[in-house]
Amino acid sequence: MADTAPARATRPGPRLSAAVRENIAGWLFVAPVVVILGLFMLLPILMAMWVSLTDWNGQGSPFRSGVPFVGTENYTRLFTEDGLARQDFMTSVRNNFYYVAIVVPAQTVLALGLALIVNARMLKGKTFFRAAFFFPSVTSSVAISVVFLFIFANSGAVTSLLKLFGIDGPQWFSDSRGVLHLLLGGLGLVDPADPPAALTDGGPFGLSWWEWLSGPSVAMCTIIMLVVWTTSGTFMLMFLAALQDIPVTLEEAGMLDGAGRWQRFRHITLPLLKPTLFLVLTLGLIATWQVFDQVYVMSQGNPAKTTLTPAFLSYQTAFRSFEYGSGTAISFVLFAIIVVLALVQRWIMRDRDPARRTRRS
């Protein structure tokens, strides 16, 4: 009989733990999204960052060997070098700063007020009012901008209405005067035609203090009114959803304790709206620093560059002056401004109660 070799027992290979298998499965599920975001968001950002370090004029590929590499020159020209580039950029930052300072608080307060109105128990026709307040937000911004051009024209409805009350309205889209200058002149404190030499002789970043303190121009104020009217509806829905999520028992408990309407709003409603308020302020801050379409349709940065914004200046520099490096650098500086202001806003609105932060964590 032939000798039979004893069968060898095969050892099982090492098995992956359940946690490792879950991690691998999770990465497999998110891999398509990571690839898509990397190709269509991260990679273009890196390519644009390279363009901001060059003097590319839009001809050919920006990655060929013949494109001049200028390093941080496109950035330093915006802050340290005297010239038209810094003057235009600082003018756009000044304009956008006043725009943000007015639009964000105004649209937030208006949206919260509208949400409180349509959330009232005794209000009839809530569906109609919600749709009416929200309708401007879903209308094309370009179409509404064109309508406002006709309304605020020299022979438009607003000017005609002011004439009925004996008021000569300004030439809305041709008036470059700053409202703060007009206010100081109206109070007799300063003559706008002959400002004090202390305010005109010097100032930071290539603009005089008189220019920094001009306030939004009359033309910019028309854009501000348009944006506040069209954006408040969206934020109204956010506040309305948060208001309807507040338990009615808290409101009733406040009434039983003798709290008035203002006290209930201040000590019950407003604290519970803080997360939504932070969301609305953050979205408003980001959107207002990126304003472009209204400026493009209504003013093109005019009159006298008083409606010029960094977003429109980036477009104008890149696609009209063919200075793609400078235009891209402006966009990255704008991105940095938005990130810094969003972080500052988050720090200001942080929860200062240590016990409450401990409970949330």
Side-chain angles (χ1 to χ4, degrees), residues 197-222:
L199 297 177
T200 58
D201 288 342
F205 298 110
L207 296 182
S208 66
W209 287 110
W210 180 250
E211 291 174 316
W212 281 109
L213 299 176
S214 64
S217 66
V218 176
M220 179 63 84
C221 288
T222 59

Side-chain angles (χ1 to χ4, degrees), residues 50-299:
W50 168 259
V51 172
S52 70
L53 302 175
T54 66
D55 193 21
W56 184 49
N57 59 4
Q59 297 181 359
S61 172
F63 306 104
R64 71 180 192 273
S65 59
V67 176
F69 179 81
V70 296
T72 59
E73 181 181 342
N74 292 326
Y75 294 92
T76 56
R77 283 195 304 171
L78 301 177
F79 295 96
T80 61
E81 297 182 10
D82 291 331
L84 185 61
R86 185 175 76 164
Q87 184 178 4
D88 287 347
F89 178 69
M90 291 303 165
T91 300
S92 69
V93 171
R94 178 204 62 183
N95 298 337
N96 217 147
F97 171 78
Y98 286 114
Y99 175 85
V100 173
I102 297 175
V103 170
V104 173
Q107 70 184 6
T108 303
V109 172
L110 180 59
L112 180 57
L114 295 176
L116 292 172
I117 291 174
V118 298
N119 193 52
R121 300 178 185 177
M122 304 302 294
L123 180 66
K124 296 182 179 180
K126 292 183 179 181
T127 304
F128 168 77
F129 286 107
R130 292 176 185 176
F133 293 152
F134 183 66
F135 180 75
S137 300
V138 297
T139 308
S140 169
S141 60
V142 175
I144 294 183
S145 299
V146 173
V147 171
F148 262 64
L149 283 175
F150 286 103
I151 293 177
F152 284 92
N154 294 336
S155 58
V158 174
T159 304
S160 301
L161 182 63
L162 292 176
K163 287 182 179 179
L164 294 178
F165 296 94
I167 302 174
D168 292 331
Q171 295 182 352
W172 298 96
F173 293 104
S174 302
D175 198 335
S176 61
R177 297 174 298 172
V179 293
L180 289 183
H181 289 173
L182 294 176
L183 179 62
L184 294 175
L187 295 176
L189 301 177
V190 176
D191 183 8
D194 186 20
L199 297 177
T200 58
D201 288 342
F205 298 110
L207 296 182
S208 66
W209 287 110
W210 180 250
E211 291 174 316
W212 281 109
L213 299 176
S214 64
S217 66
V218 176
M220 179 63 84
C221 288
T222 59
I223 300 178
I224 289 174
M225 287 186 283
L226 164 66
V227 173
V228 171
W229 178 61
T230 55
T231 56
S232 299
T234 301
F235 296 139
M236 176 202 69
L237 291 184
M238 297 181 184
F239 280 124
L240 182 60
L243 287 172
Q244 293 179 347
D245 197 41
I246 297 177
V248 182
T249 54
L250 296 178
E251 193 84 10
E252 295 174 348
M255 295 176 64
L256 291 176
D257 290 339
R261 180 175 298 178
W262 168 249
Q263 291 176 323
R264 296 197 304 271
F265 174 76
R266 179 183 176 184
H267 297 289
I268 298 176
T269 305
L270 202 56
L272 294 175
L273 290 178
K274 189 174 181 179
T276 305
L277 182 62
F278 174 76
L279 175 63
V280 169
L281 289 175
T282 302
L283 293 178
L285 182 71
I286 295 173
T288 48
W289 274 104
Q290 294 178 337
V291 58
F292 173 82
D293 45 354
Q294 292 87 356
V295 175
Y296 180 84
V297 174
M298 301 177 72
S299 65

